[in-house]
Amino acid sequence: MPESSEAPVALVTGGAGFIGSAIVELLRASGHRVVVLDLQGGDLAVDLSDEQAVRAAARDVLAEHGHVDVLVHAGVSFHRAALGDLSASLLRDVMAVNVEAALWLTQELQPTMSERGFGRIVFLVSDTFYNPPPVSDMLPYIMSKGALIGAARSLARSLGSSGITVNCVAPGLTPPPVKVMTEEVSADVQSRQALERPLVPNDVAEVVAFLARPEAQALTGQTLCPDGGLVLL
């Protein structure tokens, strides 16, 4: 579907990543004008750990498009550390990218959404919050995703009267082009899925695109888990 000045505007962080790019492609196919914030590429190169840069980017998008209808926070810091190796600087970096950037963007975009009576906010989290893998060095990542789920539930309550929904999508293990898990961990996770095939980025993108639709107005404060049934088991 070609973009037009009447098309809804979506802002996607991490849109150059392997899951983020699938989300961007699907939102564009459904008629959204998509703006990508990603340090590795996209429309605006933004360091998501820099509060002022994140806020400035949101204001730039509003200045150009007038409003944002959909915010998808798919940007992620995956720095790993076990409890004994965790430092304040590493934890701050992970929380800044994974949690704080989402809040600063929401803070900047929410007033216009409220004025228009419509907004769709989706945070990408992780099913590791519910099913931590058998490794100890994902502590800061799992902590940050849990914090984002809590933020979404709180925001859903406070913003619902303005027509804004806030939801999370918690993918299961979706193998990226570059391995971030050992073969043993990947095999362990997949063996506990109800779905036998590996997950692919489009499995996640389809759920995000659904939550971005006007028809998804009754879903808010939810965490949907495209994880192949891992939560069930």
Side-chain angles (χ1 to χ4, degrees):
M1 185 182 296
E3 294 183 353
S4 75
S5 59
E6 300 301 315
V9 179
L11 182 104
V12 180
T13 70
F18 74 108
I19 291 179
S21 60
I23 294 169
V24 169
E25 182 178 344
L26 200 54
L27 288 175
R28 282 181 174 151
S30 64
H32 290 78
R33 290 176 286 164
V34 182
V35 181
V36 176
L37 270 61
D38 196 306
L39 193 58
Q40 305 305 317
D43 302 295
L44 295 171
V46 178
D47 179 357
L48 293 175
S49 69
D50 183 336
E51 177 190 349
Q52 296 310 314
V54 169
R55 290 185 182 278
R59 292 169 187 154
D60 287 345
V61 175
L62 288 174
E64 179 174 354
H65 296 281
H67 64 277
V68 169
D69 303 283
V70 178
L71 167 63
V72 179
H73 182 54
V76 63
S77 171
F78 199 64
H79 291 316
R80 295 169 68 165
L83 177 61
D85 302 316
L86 187 62
S87 67
S89 60
L90 186 148
L91 183 58
R92 288 187 192 113
D93 178 76
V94 172
M95 295 298 286
V97 173
N98 295 358
V99 182
E100 293 175 22
L103 297 179
W104 308 146
L105 288 168
T106 300
Q107 205 171 57
E108 294 291 337
L109 302 176
Q110 172 268 321
T112 306
M113 287 181 175
S114 294
E115 286 172 12
R116 293 168 57 84
F118 179 86
R120 296 288 180 265
I121 299 173
V122 183
F123 300 151
L124 251 68
V125 291
S126 172
D127 82 328
T128 57
F129 176 71
Y130 303 102
N131 291 288
V135 292
S136 61
D137 63 355
M138 291 180 65
L139 174 62
Y141 175 79
I142 295 170
M143 286 175 59
S144 69
K145 295 305 185 179
L148 203 52
I149 291 170
R153 289 175 63 84
S154 179
L155 289 168
R157 184 64 181 265
S158 62
L159 301 180
S161 61
S162 298
I164 301 170
T165 64
V166 188
N167 292 289
C168 293
V169 175
L173 180 62
T174 310
V178 178
K179 289 278 186 186
V180 295
M181 294 283 193
T182 66
E183 292 289 348
E184 289 130 334
V185 171
S186 297
D188 172 76
V189 172
Q190 195 165 330
S191 72
R192 291 184 284 115
Q193 288 180 185
L195 188 67
E196 293 184 354
R197 69 165 175 83
L199 302 176
V200 297
N202 215 51
D203 293 326
V204 184
E206 291 282 2
V207 178
V208 173
F210 166 71
L211 290 172
R213 292 169 59 87
E215 293 83 355
Q217 60 186 330
L219 277 172
T220 193
Q222 304 296 313
T223 299
L224 303 187
C225 301
D227 64 358
L230 188 63
V231 166
L232 298 176
L233 303 176

